[in-house]
Amino acid sequence: MSIRRISILAAATLLFCTVAAVGVARAQGGRTVSDFSLRSATNTEVALKSYAGSKAVVVVFLNPNCAYSKLYQNRLAALNTQFSGRGVQFLFINAPINLEASADLSEAEKLKVKATADLPLLTDEGQKVSSLLGATKTPEVVVLQPVGDGFAVRYKGAIDDNPLVESDVQERYVQQALTNLLAGRPVGVADKRGAGCLIKRN
């Protein structure tokens, strides 16, 4: 085989590997973020980089006045309990919402909604984090995985496929993503649009 043919073959192999790597990165979320800061109720700074030793960081955008956020509080508390002891850190962010644009639930359903789980909320000053991660609704979840000097977005979107009736949930997107990440597997579904209250931008 000539040197020229070997060079062409090597170049083709390199191109294939690069394309494959890009495809895998996209399938896993691809985009990375370096760091961001939040504020706790005691005005303490909470920095993403402080969780670089975690196996995953789950950023959850909520609002106490959003009916959908209330419907998911127990489920989020259960996820926190299930994964927090396995190296997963949950960050619950209080995001402002457009109340007039969030009425997808019927009045009857709204009356049934009760906040039964207490999730400590962090403040996203200037809505920098929701903008950085592209969050548009509450509740919305972004699963980050520490990689190198940053955090890769592995999943973004809905918590599961049924906000109204927990007992009828068929697909648990966040639970599946975390289970797969902890097992060293691809997350599966990397993006899933969900129902919620629109985050209000300044």
Side-chain angles (χ1 to χ4, degrees):
M1 185 179 292
S2 69
I3 294 177
R4 185 169 179 274
R5 257 186 99 178
I6 292 174
S7 298
I8 293 173
L9 182 60
T13 302
L14 179 61
L15 177 62
F16 174 79
C17 291
T18 302
V19 171
V22 170
V24 170
R26 285 177 178 170
Q28 290 301 299
R31 190 167 69 89
T32 61
V33 295
S34 56
D35 191 27
F36 56 70
S37 295
L38 301 161
R39 287 282 171 187
S40 71
T42 58
N43 205 34
T44 303
E45 184 179 272
V46 178
L48 176 63
K49 64 183 179 182
S50 65
Y51 301 112
S54 300
K55 294 182 179 177
V57 178
V58 182
V59 182
V60 187
F61 295 91
L62 297 169
N63 185 285
N65 295 316
C66 174
Y68 286 97
S69 290
K70 294 175 183 178
L71 282 166
Y72 272 110
Q73 282 193 331
N74 285 338
R75 279 175 267 185
L76 286 167
L79 282 170
N80 189 19
T81 299
Q82 179 182 356
F83 289 102
S84 61
R86 300 170 63 187
V88 178
Q89 176 67 43
F90 281 74
L91 301 176
F92 300 101
I93 299 178
N94 185 11
I97 59 172
N98 287 314
L99 289 174
E100 69 278 7
S102 63
D104 289 330
L105 294 177
S106 68
E107 291 304 315
E109 287 294 341
K110 288 180 182 179
L111 291 174
K112 296 177 186 177
V113 173
K114 293 182 180 179
T116 57
D118 184 20
L119 303 176
L121 296 177
L122 300 167
T123 300
D124 176 16
E125 295 178 340
Q127 300 175 43
K128 294 177 182 178
V129 178
S130 62
S131 296
L132 175 67
L133 298 179
T136 60
K137 296 178 181 178
T138 66
E140 187 167 351
V141 173
V142 180
V143 177
L144 303 172
Q145 182 182 34
V147 289
D149 295 330
F151 293 77
V153 177
R154 297 308 191 198
Y155 174 79
K156 177 180 177 294
I159 298 162
D160 57 42
D161 66 350
N162 198 321
L164 296 182
V165 186
E166 183 179 359
S167 59
D168 289 344
V169 170
Q170 299 297 315
E171 297 287 339
R172 301 180 185 276
Y173 307 121
V174 174
Q175 183 183 63
Q176 178 186 2
L178 291 174
T179 298
N180 286 338
L181 275 182
L182 294 178
R185 299 190 297 263
V187 295
V189 176
D191 191 296
K192 200 70 177 182
R193 184 178 179 182
C197 305
L198 294 177
I199 293 176
K200 183 178 182 179
R201 299 299 180 191
N202 293 331

